[in-house]
Amino acid sequence: MSDAPALAPGRSLGGRYRLDAVLARGGMAEVWQATDQVLGRAVAVKILHPHLADDEGFRARFRSEAVSVARLVHPSIVAIYDTCNDDGTEAIVMELVRGRTLREFLDERGGRLDPVEVVHIGADVAAALTCAHRAGIVHRDMKPANILLSDDGRVLVTDFGIAKVLDQPDMTQTSTLLGTVKYLAPEQVEGAPVDARTDVYALGAVLYEALCGSPPFVGDNPAALALRRLQHDPPPLADRVRGVPPELDQAIRRALARRPDDRFARADDLRTALLAVRPEGDATVATHVDEGWATGASPATPPGPWDTVPATGPAPPAAGSRRPTAMVVSGVLVTLALVLVALLVARTDFGEDLLSRAPGAGPTAPSLVAVSGVTSFDPQGIGTPGEHEATVGNVIDAEPSTTWNTETYPNRAFGNLKTGVGIALTLPEARSLERIRVNSPSQDWAVEVYVSDAVAPTLAGWGEPIARADGVDGDVELDLGGATGAAVLVWITDLGTNDPLRVTVSDILLAG
């Protein structure tokens, strides 16, 4: 393990960058706000997790991000200023962007944006990708969490940590895929070569989600999710949402074509198609994209309803499309199994914990338990049932940057209105459960865990708690002692000392 000193506010890296506060944590690194004490300016410092800094492959990939992106100069790409190795701590110093991620913006807006906002964001991201592609760099991990919306109205692309530099050897292992499963292009699933069209697909998936509130494909687990996009086209936007301009629908559908040759050849071509969208009369969206979306206001709301319509599920394969042969499917499933393991180990420490704590390699070793459904649980609340139901799915999406949180209350005891609020998980079938891990950035909070045969309508219906923890700082892992059931309740009983007074959850994982 690395002997690097612990990270804490006030520590100085390279004798220059003073760490001030944590901004975000991800699977490979955490980002701090810091002060450049030489130039007297605020910066962001991305620091590789210590257990990954011991791995030369991760260090090489981490440094590659700095080398690749430092040569990209574009108003929609987060600027890289410096790199630093301080007593075993690997860091990249970059521009501090004050604002929020597109993921956060979507959550604030209930998951959906107006077409003019989607075009504005998509056009700026496509411009940034065009700059990267001309330099021979493919991002490979386009997702809402890697798109920043600054307070001054800019849209920026960040986190080129797994970028591929064309014509150079790939540092990832054979049959290992990188990227967030919800946005992977079919060629990434198959382990085929990537190019600019791979990023075009991922951006199309992001814009699709921004319009209708959910990604093009959903699945019970990352493997099923990735495989589905090999066999199906996404449901038409017209089946999911009313009021989408036809030109926007056509542009996104073309970006999401399964065959790379059927997509836009360049990100700039997608940008051109987006800016030609006409939401009203003869005016193109390009005439509206400079107004105040960054403050949460819609710059130009198109006429007509903006209502969700029931999803029809994945469309069948297009006529004449080629289904994978048995050999290809077998190879893909093996690859996806590796992807699932990589996601668990790279994005959280839970995968490593499971393996290290298992009594042996035999069949009795704990394994991850699939979750088939999730809902917020607020039986003591008033008004609309549940809390932030639109984002509760984020806790099971294998994506640490997406979160769910309770509502904000006047005191840590839920305003003395209720005893708690929670998240109810349903399993495909009753299972014996050994442990649960809840990942959270919140401080001094408390939680109880219940296991039952089914989701009960009241807290009393769940019986007695199986495990509890008080004064939790951040993540918590609890022993469930082999309790058997098909439903699990994570019941938050204390909001802690957070400002604002609420608890945030990024991921929930079960082992049994």
Side-chain angles (χ1 to χ4, degrees):
M1 293 294 294
S2 172
D3 295 326
L7 299 177
R11 180 182 166 189
S12 180
L13 298 182
R16 176 172 180 174
Y17 303 106
R18 187 190 69 233
L19 301 182
D20 297 327
V22 176
L23 296 176
R25 291 186 175 92
M28 286 182 60
E30 63 183 29
V31 180
W32 284 71
Q33 180 172 330
T35 300
D36 181 342
Q37 298 177 99
V38 173
L39 297 180
R41 64 178 175 181
V43 295
V45 179
K46 184 175 181 180
I47 302 172
L48 190 65
H49 289 320
H51 69 281
L52 299 178
D54 289 333
D55 185 310
E56 179 55 38
F58 275 100
R59 288 201 304 273
R61 189 181 306 142
F62 192 70
R63 292 167 185 159
S64 174
E65 174 182 0
V67 172
S68 300
V69 184
R71 65 193 210 206
L72 302 179
V73 179
H74 192 278
S76 288
I77 295 178
V78 176
I80 300 296
Y81 295 148
D82 195 6
T83 61
C84 178
N85 183 310
D86 186 295
D87 198 14
T89 297
E90 292 278 348
I92 296 174
V93 182
M94 53 192 177
E95 174 186 4
L96 177 64
V97 179
R98 301 189 185 278
R100 53 196 155 175
T101 67
L102 175 57
R103 177 75 275 155
E104 293 167 333
F105 189 50
L106 287 171
D107 291 346
E108 291 171 10
R109 294 285 297 276
R112 295 184 288 115
L113 305 181
D114 292 338
V116 68
E117 296 171 301
V118 170
V119 170
H120 179 187
I121 293 168
D124 283 0
V125 172
L129 292 176
T130 297
C131 175
H133 296 161
R134 286 173 177 166
I137 298 171
V138 182
H139 191 288
R140 296 204 298 182
D141 195 23
M142 285 307 311
K143 58 186 179 184
N146 285 338
I147 298 172
L148 305 182
L149 309 180
S150 73
D151 291 343
D152 61 8
R154 291 182 298 155
V155 179
L156 300 97
V157 175
T158 188
D159 203 353
F160 282 76
I162 62 173
K164 165 69 175 174
V165 180
L166 299 178
D167 301 325
Q168 291 187 12
D170 197 339
M171 290 179 293
T172 59
Q173 297 177 350
T174 302
S175 298
T176 299
L177 302 182
L178 291 175
T180 304
V181 174
K182 287 193 292 187
Y183 311 101
L184 285 179
E187 60 268 24
Q188 288 176 288
V189 173
E190 294 179 306
V194 301
D195 58 25
R197 296 169 297 180
T198 304
D199 285 344
V200 166
Y201 183 98
L203 178 54
V206 169
L207 301 183
Y208 185 106
E209 178 179 350
L211 278 169
C212 67
S214 63
F217 300 96
V218 295
D220 293 336
N221 54 65
L225 181 62
L227 187 58
R228 184 164 293 168
R229 74 197 56 222
L230 289 176
Q231 301 173 332
H232 300 285
D233 295 319
L237 280 166
D239 290 349
R240 304 285 298 275
V241 173
R242 296 188 181 97
V244 178
E247 300 93 341
L248 182 56
D249 188 0
Q250 293 167 10
I252 292 176
R253 276 193 293 164
R254 183 173 176 184
L256 287 171
R258 278 182 280 169
R259 294 180 64 250
D261 287 347
D262 294 334
R263 297 176 208 149
F264 294 101
R266 305 177 305 163
D268 201 40
D269 296 333
L270 172 57
R271 181 176 184 271
T272 298
L274 291 173
L275 293 178
V277 172
R278 299 175 182 272
E280 52 183 331
D282 292 328
T284 66
V285 170
T287 65
H288 303 295
V289 300
D290 293 326
E291 301 178 32
W293 63 266
T295 62
S298 172
T301 304
W306 185 243
D307 303 319
T308 332
V309 294
T312 59
S321 64
R322 180 176 57 85
R323 287 184 175 273
T325 63
M327 181 177 296
V328 171
V329 171
S330 175
V332 169
L333 290 176
V334 171
T335 299
L336 291 174
L338 294 174
V339 175
L340 184 55
V341 172
L343 282 168
L344 292 169
V345 174
R347 295 180 182 275
T348 73
D349 296 329
F350 192 53
E352 292 180 343
D353 292 344
L354 282 174
L355 298 177
S356 63
R357 297 180 188 185
T364 60
S367 60
L368 287 174
V369 174
V371 175
S372 57
V374 60
T375 185
S376 60
F377 186 76
D378 185 25
Q380 301 163 1
I382 58 176
T384 304
E387 291 200 4
H388 296 162
E389 184 66 25
T391 60
V392 72
N394 292 340
V395 305
I396 60 169
D397 67 357
E399 172 52 67
S401 65
T402 61
T403 62
W404 170 90
N405 57 265
T406 68
E407 293 177 1
T408 301
Y409 290 86
N411 60 45
R412 62 189 298 171
F414 301 91
N416 301 318
L417 300 173
K418 60 181 78 171
T419 61
V421 67
I423 299 171
L425 310 171
T426 53
L427 315 181
E429 59 185 2
R431 288 285 305 270
S432 174
L433 302 171
E434 298 296 335
R435 290 194 299 278
I436 184 171
R437 182 181 178 100
V438 182
N439 288 345
S440 170
S442 302
Q443 301 296 306
D444 198 24
W445 60 289
V447 63
E448 296 176 345
V449 179
Y450 298 75
V451 177
S452 182
D453 293 332
V455 175
T458 65
L459 183 62
W462 286 88
E464 295 298 318
I466 301 298
R468 59 164 49 92
D470 299 312
V472 178
D473 289 333
D475 306 338
V476 62
E477 186 175 328
L478 298 172
D479 187 349
L480 301 182
T484 300
V488 176
L489 173 63
V490 176
W491 182 246
I492 299 166
T493 59
D494 188 331
L495 297 172
T497 56
N498 302 287
D499 184 14
L501 279 170
R502 65 187 184 192
V503 169
T504 298
V505 177
S506 58
D507 286 301
I508 300 176
L509 295 162
L510 292 167

